[in-house]
DNA sequence: CCTATAATCAACTAATTCGTTTATCAACCA
DNA sequence: TGGTTGATAAACGAATTAGTTGATTATAGG
């Protein structure tokens, strides 16, 4: 259980925030334009309090920011926070894909020139 | 609360799976090479049962696949599932960024040629 | 056959999440 | 000043999650 600092906590909150269809729908809506809580709540059958809570989850995750306009508190999407997530994901995705491509090369070589075959196992090994 | 089908459920599970530092660490580990439960559990202070549960969460989310090698059940990262997530995120991120760039243009134009200024509000409006 | 190993299942507790209802705060307006 | 509207706070219950320990399955190997 190594501690990688507050970085982990940000990712925790951001991924958790997106792990809910209502909140993802709010993100989708806000990608088109900023909006207030009432505007965001309208398409849903949920109470405005529930939407308000969802918005707070998104805000604490850094995925949205809020400003002030009289009694209204408009929400704005924070693209930079979304970019951090894709950055994290793509780092590991690309590494794995590169590894798989390398394996494809190995398998192709094995097809053209069969190996000594000292030991046959179902799994190629821990570095497939 | 619109139903977008099983697509939502996949995203729910995938984002939820990544909303945990242990599971993200497992993903990071598996991006380097496939590994068994025991190998994956070694760096953690958690019980192997706990790690096994985390792995099941990742598997049900489609983020990893499992094969068989005797008594071992090696885990393999599924880059395609990760790609789906970045695809979802980037769709909305890029839309928002494009919108912000467009707003920058509007503001630049306003600086060079001030508007009629019929009504002044702190917020530009719902389409800022 | 018997034992060891890899992994999971089952049961339980503590903590968290999601939605509701009721009440409160703050800003606008007539 | 009093009333309305936008938004949040607080308290509650149902459901889920993350961890534990102890028992169980299944394969490997002497």
């Amino acid at each position: 259980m190594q501690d990688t600092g507050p970085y982990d906590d940000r990712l925790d909150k951001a991924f958790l925030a997106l792990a809910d269809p209502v909140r993802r729908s709010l993100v989708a809506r806000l990608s088109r334009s900023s909006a207030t809580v009432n505007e965001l709540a309208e398409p849903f059958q949920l109470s405005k309090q529930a939407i308000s809570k969802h918005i707070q989850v998104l805000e604490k995750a850094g995925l949205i920011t809020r400003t002030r306009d009289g009694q209204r508190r408009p929400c704005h999407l924070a693209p930079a926070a979304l970019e951090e997530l894709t950055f994290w994901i793509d780092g590991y995705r690309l590494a794995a894909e590169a590894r798989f491509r390398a394996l494809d090369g190995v398998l192709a070589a094995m097809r053209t020139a069969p190996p000594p075959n000292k030991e046959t196992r179902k799994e190629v090994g821990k570095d497939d």
Side-chain angles (χ1 to χ4, degrees), chain A:
Chain A
M1 196 100 79
Q2 67 239 345
D3 176 31
T4 46
Y7 179 61
D8 259 21
D9 197 52
R10 285 177 58 90
L11 289 177
D12 283 2
K13 288 179 179 164
F15 280 124
L16 186 62
L18 294 181
D20 180 292
V22 172
R23 288 193 290 261
R24 282 199 305 279
S25 182
L26 294 176
V27 167
R29 166 69 182 80
L30 289 173
S31 75
R32 282 185 277 112
S33 76
S34 299
T36 65
V37 175
N38 276 323
E39 289 167 342
L40 290 170
E42 203 199 337
F44 299 94
Q45 291 185 332
L46 297 176
S47 65
K48 280 192 283 192
Q49 289 92 332
I51 299 297
S52 187
K53 279 194 192 176
H54 280 302
I55 289 173
Q56 286 179 54
V57 171
L58 289 167
E59 187 180 16
K60 285 177 183 164
L63 296 178
I64 67 173
T65 60
R66 312 198 66 180
T67 50
R68 192 102 208 208
D69 173 26
Q71 355 175 216
R72 307 187 189 163
R73 257 147 279 192
C75 306
H76 320 272
L77 199 59
L82 291 178
E83 193 174 15
E84 282 186 47
L85 299 185
T86 60
F87 184 79
W88 187 92
I89 295 173
D90 281 346
Y92 297 111
R93 174 174 72 86
L94 295 173
E97 285 177 350
R99 194 161 54 80
F100 288 153
R101 275 194 300 275
L103 175 62
D104 286 345
V106 172
L107 291 178
M110 282 170 55
R111 269 192 299 275
T112 59
N117 194 18
K118 286 190 174 181
E119 173 191 23
T120 299
R121 283 171 62 185
K122 299 192 195 75
E123 289 293 322
V124 179
K126 57 153 61 179
D127 276 309
D128 60 335

